[in-house]
Amino acid sequence: MKIFIDSAKVSEIEEAFSSGFLDGVTTNPSLLKGAVDELKERGEKLDLAQYIERILTVAEGTPVSLEVTEYTYQNMVEQAKRIYERFNPIANNVYIKIPINPVFEGAEAGEFDGLKAIKELSGEGIPVNCTLVFTPEQALLAAKAGAAFVSPFAGRVDDYIRSQNGMRFNKSDYFPAQGMWREEQVLEDNGIVSGIDLVEQIVEIFLNYEVTAEVLAASLRNARQVREAALAGADIATLPLYVIKDLVSHHKTREGMEKFIADVLPEYVEITR
Ligand code: E4P
């Protein structure tokens, strides 16, 4: 399974890439806003285009998803092409994020605008990451339209199931892949019992039809969920930096380190200097 960092902070992306095992980057408008707000709060001057170029350069050789902020078919396609033409020449690694369905209250968008945009862009050789996927049906249609990556938002499924059932939780709390039960009934969203269940169902459907789109498990919040995404067969997991660090952490590893370092023989240090 490939590991992407889900961040728009250059410092985080650099730190993650310095590990040597990173396979790509995903951003979204909220992540970009968070990164830029932080820089502004620190009083740093910012040229947004140059900032995005830095992200692309750090991640050279691996895909970087940049999202459209328009939401009608025509506008999304035009903006996507502008993004691609402007930024892809930097490191030849831009993927365009298109929502599966851009309709929301007050938006004059059509239900199929996302799919139409995916089809047109993919047809012109612009790789698309289809975002905001919450059902296997959406994933299947995104793949049929030609998306290279399909991004189920696993953590947000868990958040939704918990909040619909009046639970209090922290976003990084573990949610069991097999779902949660109450009064002998599994809590679910239209047959999806957890974010990982959504990933698993998409992987299974893609295998049934030899779909070539890659399943990009997004919105993952803790290491155990990443393990479960891998067990479910996700092609890619995109993770915030704190989750990437969580992947290499264990209390006993830290404790073992403390003991080994406390036991170091000075002669050993001497001969290995
Ligand atoms: C993925 O591409 C999304 O940017 C991201 O994983 C969303 O994560 P969140 O639900 O933690 O905001």
Side-chain angles (χ1 to χ4, degrees):
M1 183 171 72
K2 287 175 261 188
I3 307 282
F4 287 9
I5 181 166
D6 195 28
S7 174
K9 292 185 183 168
V10 169
S11 56
E12 289 190 350
I13 295 169
E14 279 173 341
E15 186 179 347
F17 270 88
S18 72
S19 68
F21 69 82
L22 221 70
D23 302 300
V25 181
T26 51
T27 69
N28 64 38
S30 308
L31 291 170
L32 198 56
K33 180 178 185 310
V36 168
D37 284 352
E38 197 178 284
L39 290 174
K40 284 184 183 162
E41 269 163 36
R42 280 200 249 128
E44 291 188 31
K45 279 225 172 97
L46 178 87
D47 177 325
L48 188 56
Q50 277 178 10
Y51 189 79
I52 293 170
E53 288 177 11
R54 274 179 67 198
I55 294 176
L56 297 171
T57 307
V58 173
E60 184 153 14
T62 73
V64 177
S65 295
L66 300 175
E67 189 154 344
V68 293
T69 51
E70 297 288 346
Y71 38 82
T72 62
Y73 157 63
Q74 201 58 45
N75 290 350
M76 282 193 288
V77 166
E78 283 169 12
Q79 189 189 25
K81 287 182 181 173
R82 284 194 298 271
I83 295 171
Y84 196 74
E85 276 158 27
R86 169 70 179 77
F87 291 109
N88 194 53
I90 302 299
N92 196 27
N93 55 352
V94 170
Y95 279 55
I96 300 292
K97 255 179 156 180
I98 301 283
I100 179 65
N101 179 347
V103 170
F104 61 94
E105 188 71 42
E108 283 180 24
E111 298 289 343
F112 301 130
D113 280 9
L115 287 169
K116 283 157 63 180
I118 294 167
K119 191 164 176 85
E120 178 159 344
L121 295 167
S122 305
E124 292 188 23
I126 298 178
V128 172
N129 173 356
C130 177
T131 191
L132 288 169
V133 168
F134 287 89
T135 72
E137 307 83 81
Q138 290 178 326
L140 184 60
L141 293 179
K144 279 175 76 80
F149 298 155
V150 174
S151 294
F153 275 35
R156 291 195 195 184
V157 171
D158 300 339
D159 296 348
Y160 183 62
I161 292 174
R162 284 185 282 215
S163 48
Q164 287 294 99
N165 288 283
M167 293 177 182
R168 290 163 68 95
F169 60 94
N170 292 317
K171 265 174 67 170
S172 58
D173 289 346
Y174 174 68
F175 188 97
Q178 67 278 15
M180 282 185 167
W181 293 71
R182 187 180 274 176
E183 291 162 11
E184 295 184 13
Q185 277 209 316
V186 69
L187 307 179
E188 52 152 330
D189 174 38
N190 191 25
I192 305 294
V193 302
S194 70
I196 293 299
D197 182 35
L198 171 63
V199 172
E200 207 166 1
Q201 291 193 28
I202 294 170
V203 168
E204 190 176 338
I205 289 170
F206 282 15
L207 282 173
N208 284 347
Y209 297 102
E210 295 176 11
V211 170
T212 52
E214 293 186 82
V215 180
L216 192 164
S219 178
L220 298 176
R221 309 277 170 68
N222 53 64
R224 189 163 167 187
Q225 213 181 17
V226 179
R227 180 196 314 165
E228 289 170 347
L231 285 168
D235 299 287
I236 306 162
T238 190
L239 314 173
L241 184 60
Y242 80 88
V243 178
I244 296 178
K245 289 185 176 175
D246 204 20
L247 295 182
V248 285
S249 302
H250 193 278
H251 172 71
K252 293 298 287 181
T253 306
R254 185 177 284 255
E255 190 185 277
M257 269 309 291
E258 276 163 13
K259 174 78 175 122
F260 289 158
I261 296 306
D263 287 345
V264 166
L265 282 171
E267 304 92 293
Y268 185 85
V269 175
E270 196 51 44
I271 60 169
T272 56
R273 203 164 251 151

